[in-house]
Amino acid sequence: MPNTKRRRLLVRGAASALAVTLGATALAACGSSDDDADASGPVSLTYWTWTPGMDKVVDLWNKGEGKKDGITVTVKKQASGDTLITKILTAHKAGKAPDLVQAEYQALPTLVSNDALADIAKDVGDAKARFADGVWQQTTLGTDAVYAVPQDIGPMMFYYRADLFEKYGLTVPTTWEQFADTARALKKKSPGTDLTTFSANDSGLFAGLAQQAGAKWWTTSGDQWKVAIDDPATKKVADFWGGLVKEGVVDNQPMYTPAWNKALDTGKQIAWVSAVWAPGTLTTAAPDTKGKWAMAPLPQWSNGEDVTGSWGGSSTGVTTDSKHKAAAAKFAAWLNTDGDALNALAKEGGIYPASTSAQLSGAFTTPPDYFSNQADFYTLAARIAKTTAPSAWGPNVNVAYTTFKDAFGAAAKDRSDFSAALAKMQSATVADMKKQGFEVSE
């Protein structure tokens, strides 16, 4: 974006309310329900989302709460990821963004910094109480504002072949030090087998591991963004995995490939650091090993710790272009806290709900079919989800993620220095923010 449209982060007063200016426009003056146009008469809202079956979930609203309140929602299916964010920003520039949007958590700062999301704090009631603190924080950006309502989450956990752990006499690691020792022990017992792989083709995995370690890649300080992708916590994670790759005790090939699928299905790799949605992936990747896997909490950096990272997840936001912000916020809160809505989301969209009450009800009272041998799968998942560490996303996550894939992909392939790759992430992210006109400190 040209410097003539310079954006500046503003932190106001003790409330530390986040606002971002675009030219002379401030977020603090936008998006409250005070300027709503839904004072009387029926309201029609449009919702951009990629979740499968969302139209069926919205039908529940339109036939129930929506009909009673005179609020009708129409679903417009979209692509996900950066494609959707680009489309939203283009529509917003023309003043034609939809009323509601589904947005991944890491995309929220980008939308907020472009004045595309409204602050709906006054319109979501007691929704905050329905979510773990670390999850709710992702929709507030650490401020008193609320830019979205959490929808689904991806708490991270450790998956392993229970039968092969028993065969090789391995113990499920509870610390990362034990994880490394387990990888080495396996290599000695079965040189052709790897505990897992380090993959650079999905940036969310590394981001979640850094989050668990305490990383805060983007924060605010006064009128500036502070970028610390190469902070000590992330360096610790990079050095740990880089060391295992260089040592040759874990594989260095990417996930989601035919070779990776075969490694999981044949027992050449016997563990996967993943998230709560892993059963769906394993069902396709390793169909012959159904019922042979188990899930455990993510290893910790120190004995006695109990924290996990997040890999994936999305929220429902209300745009600043909406003429019916209060009505849209009411729907967003219903969609992500109502029991019937959440059961329908799980059934139709296959999501793992962010709402803590929904994580032990409905579709989550029995384990996934692939993990039918682990009756407490969702009970354990819900406990793990409550330990999700706070995140710290910024306005150009896409640049950091792209640089990660390139730099760490090359480092993994060459078994070279991961710290150097991390430095590339830091410098590329800072350079891009400065180019866009953000005030940045390191």
Side-chain angles (χ1 to χ4, degrees), residues 33 38 50 54 72 75 79 93 118 145 171-172 184 194 219 249 271 313 330 346-347 368 378 394 426:
S33 58
D38 41 314
W50 66 82
M54 183 61 80
T72 300
V75 170
K93 187 175 181 181
T171 301
V172 178
R184 295 181 185 109
D194 292 296
T219 54
V249 293
K330 184 172 185 179
K347 177 182 177 182
Y378 282 124
Q426 171 75 13

Side-chain angles (χ1 to χ4, degrees), residues 130 337-339 342-343 352-364:
R130 308 294 186 92
T337 62
D338 179 82
L342 291 167
N343 282 335
Y352 184 73
S355 168
T356 53
S357 61
Q359 292 165 6
L360 292 173
S361 63
F364 305 102

Side-chain angles (χ1 to χ4, degrees), residues 48-372:
W48 284 6
T49 173
W50 66 82
T51 298
M54 183 61 80
D55 52 338
K56 296 180 181 178
V57 182
V58 170
D59 279 346
L60 296 177
W61 166 268
N62 289 336
K63 294 175 182 178
E65 290 292 317
K67 184 176 182 179
K68 182 178 67 177
D69 296 337
I71 303 171
T72 300
V73 178
T74 300
V75 170
K76 298 290 186 182
K77 294 299 288 292
Q78 306 292 328
S80 59
D82 291 343
T83 301
L84 177 56
I85 299 306
T86 299
K87 187 174 182 179
I88 291 170
L89 295 179
T90 301
H92 170 63
K93 187 175 181 181
K96 296 181 179 180
D99 299 278
L100 295 131
V101 296
Q102 182 178 1
E104 293 174 299
Y105 297 113
Q106 67 267 23
L108 293 178
T110 299
L111 294 172
V112 170
S113 67
N114 281 277
D115 192 22
L117 288 185
D119 176 4
I120 55 175
K122 295 180 181 179
D123 301 311
V124 293
D126 64 348
K128 178 181 178 180
R130 308 294 186 92
F131 306 96
D133 290 343
V135 173
W136 183 256
Q137 177 268 346
Q138 295 197 82
T139 65
T140 68
L141 309 189
T143 74
D144 290 336
V146 176
Y147 295 108
V149 180
Q151 181 166 298
D152 60 301
I153 56 173
M156 295 177 68
M157 42 203 68
F158 179 67
Y159 293 87
Y160 64 100
R161 281 282 300 273
D163 59 330
L164 296 183
F165 262 59
E166 181 177 359
K167 174 183 176 180
Y168 295 122
L170 304 176
T171 301
V172 178
T174 59
T175 67
W176 287 113
E177 182 180 2
Q178 292 174 7
F179 179 94
D181 289 341
T182 300
R184 295 181 185 109
L186 176 62
K187 269 295 175 188
K188 289 181 179 179
K189 294 179 179 182
S190 180
T193 306
D194 292 296
L195 181 63
T196 190
T197 188
F198 177 85
S199 173
N201 66 344
D202 193 325
S203 315
L205 171 57
F206 183 75
L209 291 172
Q211 179 187 349
Q212 185 214 20
K216 290 184 170 49
W217 287 357
W218 288 268
T219 54
T220 59
S221 178
D223 291 347
Q224 296 181 318
W225 283 96
K226 180 176 176 61
V227 181
I229 292 176
D230 61 348
D231 66 359
T234 309
K235 285 182 179 178
K236 177 170 64 175
V237 175
D239 289 344
F240 175 81
W241 284 96
L244 293 180
V245 169
K246 187 174 183 179
E247 192 178 339
V249 293
V250 299
D251 198 4
N252 61 344
Q253 301 301 310
M255 302 176 291
Y256 314 135
T257 64
W260 181 72
N261 292 347
K262 184 177 180 180
L264 293 178
D265 206 28
T266 60
K268 189 179 184 302
Q269 285 184 26
I270 67 171
W272 184 28
V273 175
S274 189
V276 69
W277 41 259
T281 301
L282 290 171
T283 298
T284 301
D288 294 338
T289 60
K290 175 183 175 182
K292 297 180 180 180
W293 290 77
M295 180 268 284
L298 207 61
Q300 303 293 308
W301 285 104
S302 300
N303 282 315
E305 287 185 342
D306 189 12
V307 62
T308 194
S310 182
W311 182 4
S314 64
S315 61
T316 309
V318 176
T319 72
T320 51
D321 290 344
S322 176
K323 294 180 173 63
H324 310 286
K325 296 180 182 66
K330 184 172 185 179
F331 167 76
W334 171 88
L335 178 66
N336 300 306
T337 62
D338 179 82
D340 290 338
L342 291 167
N343 282 335
L345 277 172
K347 177 182 177 182
E348 303 294 342
I351 72 158
Y352 184 73
S355 168
T356 53
S357 61
Q359 292 165 6
L360 292 173
S361 63
F364 305 102
T365 55
T366 57
D369 187 50
Y370 193 88
F371 281 80
S372 58

